[in-house]
Amino acid sequence: MSFSGSASFAEATRVAIFGGTHGNEMSGVTLVNLWMKNKEEIQRKRVDTEPFITNPRAVEKCTRYVDTDLNRAFTPENLSAPGGDDLPYEVQRAQEINRIFGPKGSPEAYDVIFDLHNTTSNMGCTLILESSKDLFNLQMMNYIKKAIAPASCLVLLNEHPLLKYSTSRSVAKHPVGLEVGPQPQGVLRSNIFEAMRVILKHALDFIELFNEGMEFPPCTVEVFRVLERIDYPRDNNGNIIAMVHPNLQDGDWEPLNPGDPMFQTFDGKTIHYQGSSTVYPTFINEAAYYEKQQAFVTTRRETLVASAIRKA
Ligand SMILES: CC(=O)N[C@@H](CC(=O)O)C(=O)O
Ligand SMILES: [Zn+2]
């Protein structure tokens, strides 16, 4: 069968898998180290896949970053900043990664970059997209969701004008984040590790099928679009005065309705969600986000339509 409206893309032959963008998120660090020793599992006939540790100094120290968050560092300013050795380590590293896998926004950039992350939140398997217009990625999401059923994986779409950030994977033509949790920082959990591994397998299978010329029919993809960042309640000195409410803790992706409990103060008072409509919270109580003044993000459920695609 052929779909007259098929969008076409060049064969996606140059693929990278990033681990250790945050040095204390152990599934990605471990999988990438494993695959650097033996590439067999990630090899496909028509895809060249490069496993790569993006922040080796942070991995060595088992910390999120050394000077500044690498997954916020791929701004045009940073990528073109002069200064060499005087720049923060992660800015130097971003420039290096951009030289190897980019340049960002250029025809020479890698086709697909998967960036592997773990969260302390109870998010399960989450694929993160940065554009609702990327048909190749939307078709990939649809493929992965079907392939892993009855297990599930959700798609978080971050194209918020203010909350979007300049990720490591953003140097690729098709950036894909993979966030799996819950897993504490610095810890490996076998269930989380295996879940990540299975998603990568299906993702690479999708690219292989695409490169073989398979046509992917029109589809719809359910996504959760980032709406708002919610901070912890604070006193006038900026100190946190409440925790995530027990009803909300671990309730990632479950509807949060106006009036639902959201925080619990240290003296036991409940603070309720004051929004005007039902939202889907995620990244609830993520350890790395205390420094970013974020207790969770709210999202809205949307169904995106992706037209057919095939190789040019
Ligand atoms: C917990 C964590 O590191 N999450 C990632 C999400 C992403 O890759 O977009 C980050 O904040 O960079
Ligand atoms: Zn991370």
Side-chain angles (χ1 to χ4, degrees), residues 22 25 64 69 71-72 115 117-119 128 165 167 169 179 283 286 288-289 292:
H22 297 129
E25 298 175 359
R64 184 173 174 90
D69 194 336
N71 218 25
R72 304 290 181 276
D115 193 16
H117 292 260
N118 290 121
T119 173
I128 308 181
Y165 37 82
T167 58
R169 56 189 176 268
E179 186 77 72
F283 277 119
E286 160 57 42
Y289 291 167
K292 300 189 197 299

